[in-house]
Amino acid sequence: MLPNEPLRLDFLPWEYKRTASGADRERQAERQARLGGSVELAADVYVAESAAVYCDELRLGERSYIAAHAYVTGRITLGSDSTINPFAAVRGVVTIGDGVRIGAHTSLLAFNHGTAPGEPIFKQPHTALGITIGDDVWIGSNVTILDGVTVGPHTIIGAGAVVTKDIPANSVAAGNPARILRSRTGASMSGDLPTLLTAFAAEARAQTDDVLARCWDGTRFVDRPGLDRAPEIRPWCDAIEIADLLVRRTPAGHTRDDLVRRLREHQDPATGLVPPEDQPDAELAVLEGPASYHILCVGYALQVLGSSFEHPIDTSFGLEDLDKLPWARRAWSAGSGIDALGTALALQNGGESGHLELLMGWLLTHVDPSTGMWGTPHPDDGLLQVVNGFYRLTRGTYAQFGLPLPYPEQAVATVLAHSNDRRMFTGDNYNACNVLDVIHPLWLARKQTSYGEAEGRRWAEQQLRAILTRWVDGAGFAFAPDGTDDRAIPGLQGTEMWLAIIWLLSDYLGMSDALGYRPRGVHRPEPLV
């Protein structure tokens, strides 16, 4: 590093845990040793060299950081996975929870001057009430939060806001002075859940045709309107499943025979697989590649329509093919390959070819008895890949063939441990896949054990109350409703997945009858065989 060159990690401190060299860690240890006052620092915290940190007390939870040129003084407590970004000022008695993001150039000022007349301001006495920020709060850039304010958990403060009074939990607030724009949970935070479920299902059912029409561009279904994407087969399948789930018919304006023809005409006669429409010459394989998920979405859409694939699917594989799947780092991808293979076997011959016995034997001898999972966790994303891979794998095999899980209690313990990782259920990570990949394993394992049910029920109710308010009238659900990219736009994939998730959450709580619908497609609760 050249003299006076700014440290990259000062401005990108989230890279520290994953990329820091030995020299970086030595330099950080020296930096932390120079901090004055009473200091308690957990593992993998980072304090920028250029940050002005002069605290009487400083507490930093695991993986938290103070970035470049931040100004931090007083008695500061920062929970795990919380961040003070560049040029922010945090001063006074400030308590910050877990999973909090404080944007650049933001000020948390937990003190004030008196304003009595007849005395110069610089001679006025100070007052200090303190500031409290709850868990899972996103504070945008250039925000000012004044002394005495409490910001409740799961709240978003828009960029440039001036917060002068308390903001309740689950709010979106912005402006000067800040005011609450909307609730992130709405009426579903209170009230009788079965009643709320019934009301939600009635609302969704009444809007089915509007949701689907919004994603019809005149010639084809698209996942989300306005996105410049190549033609895809999945939106057709999602539209078929949504219409069947809510109103038990085909999408308005489409006949059963025409939909069956459209789906079947995409199948490759040689392999039985369905290539992407924009990659007709792609290499096709059951276990991995761009055609893998089409086995599920097209196969089940045809089932819902009372039809099936026209050509047999090539399900030939060897044990070496299973060994080569990326279990060590991408267990989700490996599990999705097993899901596709199991679904292909179930759809065309019920697994009677002997391939099913070969597949299930391999799974039984490769499961980890201590976790009930396949694959290994990784420091970057914890149990995310392992649990998500477990869902896909078991959906296409154990659930689809009505077979018992090999280690259900260990699997429940692993899934519940993952469900407590806040990183994976906030912002962009609050998405349909991540919630589905927890509730389906809990729902499936409860067929064999009641282990962990109390914790599972608490989690399920929390998720159910949260998602019911994310429905957008006439548009449905976004895949990642609190996200920051185009996946936060409502579309067919998000709607299809969340409707099924709501059923699974409700059924786990014993309330699914209140919905008046039951999935028959990819997320059907009954075994296919």
Side-chain angles (χ1 to χ4, degrees), residues 427-441:
D428 287 341
N429 286 331
Y430 176 61
N431 62 56
C433 275
N434 287 353
V435 177
L436 173 63
D437 297 352
V438 170
I439 187 53
H440 188 276

Side-chain angles (χ1 to χ4, degrees), residues 347-415:
L347 285 171
Q348 61 189 17
N349 55 31
E352 295 175 359
S353 64
H355 289 169
L356 179 62
E357 288 81 358
L358 189 66
L359 173 60
M360 299 309 297
W362 188 94
L363 293 175
L364 189 60
T365 56
H366 286 75
V367 64
D368 182 348
S370 65
T371 64
M373 301 275 141
W374 294 261
T376 53
H378 191 275
D380 284 355
D381 48 25
L383 289 162
L384 179 69
Q385 287 278 332
V386 176
V387 171
N388 290 11
F390 177 87
Y391 158 66
R392 288 297 304 273
L393 180 154
T394 56
R395 194 219 70 84
T397 54
Y398 293 93
Q400 200 155 233
F401 288 94
L403 300 172
L405 296 171
Y407 298 101
E409 293 187 354
Q410 290 84 346
V412 168
T414 304
V415 171

Side-chain angles (χ1 to χ4, degrees), residues 333-345:
S333 296
S336 66
I338 299 296
D339 190 1
L341 176 58
T343 301
L345 292 171

